[in-house]
Amino acid sequence: MSNPWNNRRPSARPPRATPLPANPREGAGTGAGGPPVRGSDELRLYGLNAVQAMFARRPQALRKLYLAEDMIPRVQPMLKWCVANRVGYRVVADGDLNKLAATTHHEGIVADVVRQDPLTLAAWLAGLGAGPALALWLDGVGNPHNFGAILRSAAHFGVAAILLPAETTLALSGAAARVAEGGAESVPLVRLPALPQAVAQLRDAGFGLAATLVEGGDNLFNTALPARMVYVMGAEGQGMDRDFAQSCDLRLSIPGSGAVESLNVASATAVFLSSWCSQRGKG
């Protein structure tokens, strides 16, 4: 029986695409022509920038690669690495990539990779070092596309970490990683302890907390921002918890024309990050 996984040197004439089963799903079997078993420790990435960023930073995380034939010239280093390290790759039809990614927005490449576990807050703080630092606390953000856009902005502005509340179900997904366009590999995720402990540890490390409010906060552009700061971004629609907002060191709002109610959380995040960087001389 032939092996559908290609561990030969990639050539200019790739093998004919082998159709996948009608419903390639997580946990499916590994019979001939079928997708591999994907465990709970794996994440399915798709989109060229997302996959290339993963490969550039942690190639050892790559477990399986699927690609369209016309992608071969663009990912030659990745395919050669797969051959050298006995990691399977397959050239498949575009329809099969749609099924694997569960979307048409895969840009011709899908990868199963080892999922990175979030750091603990204590571990992140221990490795942070002194000096200015900016982090984002996502208090209820759940939409994967907003999460991906936040990750992209966070990578652009050099955010030191994304802080995730202890109770959140938010985690990196293939959709978020694609929207982040490689940013998901640049910004560590940190799992927070319970709220009082998390706030105490951050303040002990010199961080001020800034609640971000649709209205009623101080004008962001007229407020001096601390060199070590955490922006707390609220949930889509509901905003952040009001009691938590009152306990923060700052409460900030973005002034606008009033033509629309507010910016969405991803757009607002980019404005907040830009303002902090501008005050540090990075904008």
Side-chain angles (χ1 to χ4, degrees):
M1 182 178 295
S2 62
N3 184 354
W5 291 96
N6 228 344
N7 281 319
R8 298 176 293 132
R9 184 176 301 277
S11 65
R13 296 179 61 83
R16 185 181 300 275
T18 304
L20 293 173
N23 294 300
R25 63 187 186 277
E26 189 169 345
T30 57
V37 170
R38 185 153 53 96
S40 60
D41 66 331
E42 290 185 23
L43 171 66
R44 179 157 286 169
L45 293 180
Y46 51 89
L48 183 59
N49 287 340
V51 173
Q52 286 189 322
M54 173 280 305
F55 181 70
R57 288 180 173 266
R58 50 189 189 107
Q60 72 285 352
L62 181 59
R63 288 192 171 173
K64 291 290 187 297
L65 184 68
Y66 310 83
L67 69 158
E69 183 173 327
D70 60 6
M71 291 297 296
I72 289 175
R74 303 183 67 179
V75 295
Q76 279 290 319
M78 197 181 307
L79 298 182
K80 290 177 180 177
W81 186 91
C82 287
V83 171
N85 292 273
R86 301 183 63 80
V87 171
Y89 73 87
R90 266 180 78 186
V91 177
V92 298
D94 194 63
D96 293 327
L97 289 170
N98 295 345
K99 294 172 186 175
L100 287 162
T103 178
T104 59
H105 301 296
H106 48 70
E107 300 169 4
I109 191 164
V110 176
D112 288 339
V113 305
V114 177
R115 182 184 293 276
Q116 287 187 302
D117 291 330
L119 300 170
T120 65
L121 180 59
W124 174 67
L125 290 172
L128 184 59
L134 180 61
L136 287 171
W137 181 321
L138 303 188
D139 181 42
V141 174
N143 182 287
H145 292 89
N146 279 339
F147 187 29
I150 288 170
L151 284 166
R152 184 174 183 175
S153 293
H156 178 79
F157 289 107
V159 167
I162 301 288
L163 310 180
L164 303 176
E167 68 279 3
T168 188
T169 59
L170 184 64
L172 186 65
S173 65
R178 184 192 67 81
V179 174
E181 293 285 0
E185 295 294 329
S186 300
V187 185
L189 302 182
V190 175
R191 178 72 64 183
L192 295 170
L195 180 63
Q197 183 182 352
V199 171
Q201 286 184 250
L202 287 165
R203 286 184 171 145
D204 285 347
F207 282 90
L209 273 66
T212 60
L213 307 176
V214 171
E215 58 184 14
D218 295 330
N219 186 324
L220 169 67
F221 306 125
N222 295 335
T223 303
L225 304 175
R228 289 169 78 86
M229 192 174 76
V230 176
Y231 281 123
V232 184
M233 308 304 301
E236 298 98 338
Q238 295 82 19
M240 68 172 292
D241 180 86
R242 292 195 175 274
D243 290 338
F244 186 14
Q246 289 303 312
S247 72
C248 289
D249 305 292
L250 296 171
R251 283 159 293 283
L252 303 172
S253 297
I254 300 170
S257 67
V260 294
E261 182 180 3
S262 65
L263 297 172
N264 78 5
V265 67
S267 298
T269 296
V271 175
F272 281 113
L273 297 182
S274 176
S275 184
W276 183 89
C277 289
S278 179
Q279 291 193 23
R280 305 276 79 74
K282 297 180 180 180

Coordinates of all heavy atoms in Angstrom, one line a residue, residues 14 17 23 28 44 49 67-69 72 90-91 103 126 137 177 180 216 230 238 244 258 273:
P14 N 5.3 17.9 -8.5 CA 4.8 17.3 -7.3 C 3.9 16.1 -7.6 O 3.4 15.9 -8.7 CB 4.0 18.4 -6.6 CG 3.6 19.2 -7.8 CD 4.7 19.2 -8.8
A17 N -2.4 15.1 -6.5 CA -3.2 15.2 -5.2 C -4.0 14.0 -4.9 O -4.7 13.4 -5.8 CB -4.1 16.4 -5.3
N23 N -15.5 13.8 5.0 CA -15.5 14.6 6.2 C -14.3 14.4 7.0 O -14.3 13.8 8.1 CB -16.7 14.2 7.0 CG -18.0 14.5 6.3 OD1 -18.3 15.7 6.1 ND2 -18.8 13.5 6.1
A28 N -10.3 11.8 13.3 CA -10.6 10.8 12.3 C -9.4 9.8 12.2 O -8.3 10.1 12.6 CB -10.8 11.5 10.9
R44 N -4.8 23.3 14.4 CA -4.8 23.3 13.0 C -4.6 24.8 12.5 O -5.6 25.6 12.6 CB -6.0 22.7 12.4 CG -6.0 22.7 10.8 CD -6.9 21.5 10.3 NE -6.2 20.3 10.5 CZ -6.8 19.1 10.3 NH1 -8.1 19.0 9.9 NH2 -6.2 18.0 10.4
N49 N 0.9 33.3 6.0 CA 1.6 34.1 7.0 C 1.6 33.4 8.4 O 2.6 33.3 9.1 CB 1.1 35.5 7.2 CG 1.5 36.4 6.0 OD1 2.5 36.0 5.2 ND2 0.8 37.5 5.8
L67 N -0.8 21.1 1.4 CA -0.7 22.3 0.6 C -1.2 22.1 -0.8 O -1.2 20.9 -1.3 CB 0.8 22.8 0.6 CG 1.8 21.9 -0.2 CD1 3.0 22.7 -0.6 CD2 2.3 20.7 0.7
A68 N -1.6 23.2 -1.4 CA -1.9 23.1 -2.8 C -0.7 23.1 -3.7 O 0.4 23.5 -3.3 CB -2.8 24.4 -3.2
E69 N -0.8 22.5 -4.9 CA 0.3 22.3 -5.8 C 1.1 23.6 -6.1 O 2.3 23.7 -6.1 CB -0.1 21.7 -7.1 CG 1.0 21.3 -8.0 CD 0.5 20.6 -9.2 OE1 -0.5 19.8 -9.0 OE2 1.0 20.7 -10.3
I72 N 4.0 25.0 -3.7 CA 5.3 24.3 -3.5 C 6.5 25.3 -3.7 O 7.4 25.3 -2.9 CB 5.4 23.1 -4.5 CG1 4.4 22.0 -4.0 CG2 6.8 22.6 -4.6 CD1 4.4 20.8 -4.9
R90 N 1.6 16.7 2.4 CA 0.8 16.2 1.3 C 0.3 17.3 0.4 O -0.1 18.3 0.9 CB -0.5 15.5 1.8 CG -0.3 14.0 2.0 CD -1.6 13.3 2.5 NE -2.6 13.2 1.5 CZ -3.9 12.8 1.8 NH1 -4.2 12.5 3.0 NH2 -4.7 12.6 0.8
V91 N 0.4 17.1 -0.9 CA -0.2 18.0 -1.9 C -1.6 17.5 -2.1 O -1.8 16.3 -2.5 CB 0.6 18.0 -3.2 CG1 0.0 18.8 -4.3 CG2 2.1 18.4 -3.0
T103 N -12.9 26.2 6.0 CA -13.0 27.6 5.5 C -12.4 27.6 4.1 O -11.5 26.8 3.8 CB -12.4 28.6 6.4 OG1 -12.6 29.9 5.7 CG2 -11.0 28.4 6.6
A126 N 8.7 36.7 35.8 CA 10.1 36.4 36.1 C 11.0 36.6 34.9 O 12.2 37.0 35.1 CB 10.1 35.0 36.6
W137 N -5.0 42.8 28.9 CA -5.8 41.9 29.6 C -7.1 41.8 28.9 O -7.9 42.8 28.8 CB -6.0 42.4 31.0 CG -6.8 41.6 32.0 CD1 -7.9 40.9 31.8 CD2 -6.5 41.5 33.4 NE1 -8.4 40.3 32.9 CE2 -7.6 40.7 33.9 CE3 -5.5 42.0 34.3 CZ2 -7.6 40.3 35.3 CZ3 -5.6 41.6 35.6 CH2 -6.6 40.8 36.1
A177 N -5.5 32.8 14.4 CA -4.1 32.8 13.9 C -4.0 33.4 12.4 O -3.1 34.1 12.1 CB -3.4 31.5 14.0
A180 N -4.5 37.1 12.5 CA -3.3 37.7 13.1 C -2.1 37.8 12.1 O -1.2 38.6 12.4 CB -2.8 36.9 14.3
G216 N -17.2 57.8 29.6 CA -17.1 58.1 31.0 C -15.7 58.0 31.5 O -15.4 58.3 32.7
V230 N -1.0 47.8 31.9 CA -1.9 46.8 31.4 C -3.2 47.5 31.0 O -3.8 48.1 31.8 CB -2.2 45.7 32.4 CG1 -3.2 44.7 31.9 CG2 -0.9 45.0 32.8
Q238 N -20.8 44.2 25.8 CA -21.0 44.5 27.2 C -19.9 45.4 27.8 O -20.2 46.1 28.8 CB -21.1 43.3 28.0 CG -22.3 42.4 27.7 CD -22.0 41.5 26.5 OE1 -20.9 41.3 26.1 NE2 -23.0 41.0 25.8
F244 N -14.6 45.9 38.3 CA -13.2 45.7 38.0 C -12.7 47.1 37.5 O -11.6 47.5 37.8 CB -13.0 44.6 37.0 CG -11.6 44.3 36.6 CD1 -10.5 44.7 37.4 CD2 -11.3 43.5 35.5 CE1 -9.2 44.4 37.0 CE2 -10.0 43.2 35.1 CZ -9.0 43.7 35.9
G258 N -19.0 60.9 17.6 CA -20.3 60.6 18.0 C -21.2 60.0 16.9 O -22.3 59.7 17.1
L273 N -3.1 51.0 22.0 CA -1.7 50.6 21.9 C -0.8 51.7 21.2 O 0.3 52.0 21.7 CB -1.5 49.3 21.1 CG -2.2 48.1 21.7 CD1 -2.0 46.9 20.7 CD2 -1.7 47.8 23.1

